[in-house]
Amino acid sequence: MILTLCAFAGNSLLNRAALAENTIDWASFTVIRLVSGAIMLALLLGLRHGRAVLPRGDTIVPAIALFVYAVSFSFAYVSLDAAVGALILFPAGQLSLQFIGMVRGIYPTPIQWAGLLLAIAGLAVFLTPGDTAPPLIGGLIMAIAGISWGFYSWAGKGAARPALATARNFVGAALLCLLLIPVLGEGAQNQPTGIALAIASGTITSGLGYITWYAVLPRLSVSTAAASQLSVPAIAALGGVLLLGETLSMRFFIGSAMIFAGIALTMFQNKQAKSPEI
């Protein structure tokens, strides 16, 4: 689990490092990330199972969710710092998981409702216009990435073969990259450094990281699956400061404190609350 969470933070750092230095455009980063991950996983799983790894009917939703997440993720990091993006991404994913749970008949307790509202308020404080506020458009797009990540995580609940399911999801998402052809190369000239960072993101921190995530998902409850990702913004923040020279504002600390406190409340389980498996 620790390696998985570090991989999640690594995606933020790799993506932001490539885009901040203008070594690749966001669309090319997305395509290379998804296609390289798909090729690596398809080869590994294809050799293991002795047959081609192709999308199936039950991979349509997670493949679309993975594609929308990756596109929104990269586009948002054109303007967001690594730590800021992670702080928006994972709470949005947690909230979407809770919402999906409610649609499926899994209702929060009153204390969990309070936590959800506090987390939403924290996001609102963080995104409210001001001198230290992150770009609003970038923040909203990263929230879309988080919502898509929530749907992708929920889809993992029925993955009997996590590695094979992840490979099929990546192949499906890679095929959807055809939609990005019209915008490839806009805004930056792709350089070897940017391409290498995109490949590392696709094969290591995404492909292999998501296999381990899908492997543990069936054993986690909704709240645990969501809350287990709370360390990712902190890891990304530390990496952003040490590796990318980013700075953290007081707004970041206030907003993150509200978000973390709210999500901690959503983990509260009383005897009347259901504890479903994700």
Side-chain angles (χ1 to χ4, degrees), residues 139-150:
L140 293 176
I141 292 174
M142 186 60 81
I144 294 174
I147 293 170
S148 301
W149 178 252

Side-chain angles (χ1 to χ4, degrees), residues 1 4 152-153 156-157 159-166 208-220 278:
M1 175 63 80
T4 303
Y152 181 75
S153 295
K157 66 183 177 65
R161 295 179 175 180
L164 187 57
T166 303
L208 297 179
Y210 295 178
I211 283 179
T212 60
W213 179 237
Y214 257 36
V216 300
L217 272 175
R219 301 192 296 272
L220 301 179
I278 187 170

Side-chain angles (χ1 to χ4, degrees), residues 4 8 16 37 43 45 100 102 108 159 162 195 206 221 255 263 274:
T4 303
F8 291 165
R16 179 56 184 166
L43 288 175
L45 276 298
I100 295 170
M102 287 187 287
I195 294 173
S206 294
S221 68
I263 295 178
K274 298 179 181 179

